[in-house]
Amino acid sequence: MADITIIGGINIDVEGSPFEKIKYRDSNPGIVSVAYGGVGRNIAENAARLGADVAMISVIGDDHMGKGAKSELAELGVDVSGIIEVPGRNSAMYLSILDENRDMELAFCDMEIIKEITPEVLAGQKEKLKKSKIVALDGNLEEDLLIYATELLEGVPMFYDPVSAAKAQRAKKVIGRFHSIKPNIMEAEILCGMSIQSEDDLKKAGQWFLDQGVKRVFITLNKDGVYYKDQDREGIIPPAGDLKICSATGAGDSFSATIMLGFVNGIDIEQTARMGMAAASIAMESEQAVNKNMNIEEVNRRIKKNV
């Protein structure tokens, strides 16, 4: 059984950008790219590239793109036996249209298939999940499923990334059941019900999460780095001064992967946070959600460089 099991979504990401200003109601010459995405899938790929023993539980349609996403994970060594193909359905898809400056003009998101990850599906994977050292729950999962999963996996360390402030609401009732969490400031405010405007506020929020039962808290601070706290340590790690940012998309997913890898390998919270910052810096150097050059050797090299 895998050390890390991830329950979450697999998306097909389609992006179009024009060479010139968009002409509406017309065909625009430009560039169209297709890539595999989804928070759960991205975390799984990052963890696998970092050398972790990973399994994924998800759903795809019976289309060639979904099957391709599943095949790619398998080639990376991820246990994909828990990825279910749903007949007659399309895989989850995210379609974004950018303007001439590569800012988002419009987007469509079809994530309905993720509702096919049902309590019955998780119950069927109970043995695999119970034997995992840590289980990640994608913030895109519905509230009822988060409640069911945290009850089913009582006693198993779990990790949670809220994904967005709106979706963070779904975990308010069960946040204390997670071993490790990684919200940003807005998501943390929703979860703990307090405003975070200063470092003192961060510390109060961190302690609130520990009081609920969370063991490790990582609150990402955008350009200011990450705040971390457990019962023994607390601090803020700023980003490196020489960051090369191609795209911030997927940086949080790489950080999530290192949080679970750090737990599995018995690494303390401060060093885990440094791993997360290093992995995020690698992720941001690629236009893709996951940098194909992600590896533990490069993560460790960057940690040593910035210590």
Side-chain angles (χ1 to χ4, degrees):
M1 298 298 178
D3 290 339
I4 297 170
T5 300
I6 296 152
I7 305 170
I10 294 175
N11 290 2
I12 311 304
D13 294 336
V14 182
E15 179 184 273
S17 57
F19 292 137
E20 299 177 351
K21 188 176 179 63
I22 292 178
K23 296 178 182 178
Y24 290 94
R25 303 181 186 278
D26 198 1
S27 177
N28 290 262
I31 297 173
V32 177
S33 63
V34 181
Y36 303 132
V39 170
R41 194 217 67 88
N42 291 346
I43 295 173
E45 180 178 347
N46 276 294
R49 291 187 181 279
L50 290 168
D53 181 12
V54 189
M56 185 165 190
I57 295 173
S58 188
V59 288
I60 56 173
D62 58 359
D63 49 70
H64 71 281
M65 289 300 296
K67 293 176 181 178
K70 180 178 178 179
S71 177
E72 183 184 67
L73 287 176
E75 289 173 4
L76 289 167
V78 177
D79 176 356
V80 297
S81 61
I83 298 178
I84 300 168
E85 294 182 21
V86 183
R89 295 287 299 275
N90 292 326
S91 296
M93 188 165 290
Y94 181 79
L95 169 63
S96 59
I97 299 171
L98 311 183
D99 64 18
E100 68 276 14
N101 299 314
R102 294 193 61 78
D103 291 326
M104 183 189 293
E105 183 78 11
L106 186 66
F108 297 94
C109 182
D110 179 3
M111 292 286 291
E112 284 299 299
I113 196 171
I114 200 170
K115 294 178 182 178
E116 297 292 335
I117 305 177
T118 62
E120 291 74 22
V121 168
L122 297 190
Q125 298 288 333
K126 182 177 179 179
E127 181 181 354
K128 176 187 294 186
L129 290 165
K130 284 282 192 178
K131 291 183 178 179
S132 300
K133 292 181 179 178
I134 189 167
V135 174
L137 298 181
D138 186 332
N140 286 300
L141 299 173
E142 296 293 326
E143 180 178 357
D144 289 349
L145 191 68
L146 288 174
I147 293 171
Y148 176 82
T150 55
E151 291 173 349
L152 179 72
L153 301 177
E154 184 178 3
V156 178
M158 288 174 282
F159 167 78
Y160 175 68
D161 178 348
V163 177
S164 72
K167 293 176 181 176
Q169 291 276 3
R170 300 175 181 179
K172 288 193 72 170
K173 295 177 182 178
V174 295
I175 194 64
R177 298 179 186 175
F178 293 100
H179 178 280
S180 301
I181 61 171
K182 187 189 68 64
N184 61 26
I185 287 181
M186 290 179 62
E187 294 158 358
E189 288 179 332
I190 294 294
L191 289 166
C192 70
M194 64 180 71
S195 175
I196 302 175
Q197 301 293 330
S198 65
E199 186 171 337
D200 282 344
D201 291 341
L202 269 176
K203 292 179 178 179
K204 290 176 183 176
Q207 186 59 52
W208 184 90
F209 285 118
L210 261 61
D211 291 343
Q212 308 313 303
V214 179
K215 301 295 186 293
R216 285 187 168 188
V217 179
F218 301 84
I219 300 178
T220 56
L221 312 174
N222 298 316
K223 61 181 180 62
D224 295 321
V226 64
Y227 163 83
Y228 64 89
K229 181 176 178 61
D230 66 5
Q231 63 178 359
D232 299 315
R233 301 190 183 201
E234 180 179 37
I236 294 175
I237 297 175
D242 58 348
L243 279 179
K244 300 175 183 178
I245 302 177
C246 183
S247 171
T249 301
D253 299 333
S254 67
F255 202 127
S256 294
T258 63
I259 289 172
M260 290 185 287
L261 185 66
F263 172 78
V264 167
N265 291 338
I267 298 171
D268 68 53
I269 191 170
E270 180 180 351
Q271 188 67 3
T272 297
R274 294 188 186 281
M275 287 172 57
M277 291 297 293
S281 72
I282 296 170
M284 288 189 288
E285 292 176 357
S286 170
E287 288 189 356
Q288 303 299 318
V290 179
N291 191 331
K292 306 306 179 186
N293 296 319
M294 182 70 67
N295 62 79
I296 194 63
E297 291 78 18
E298 180 60 16
V299 167
N300 289 332
R301 186 192 72 79
R302 295 191 187 205
I303 291 172
K304 291 178 181 178
K305 176 184 175 183
N306 294 309
V307 168

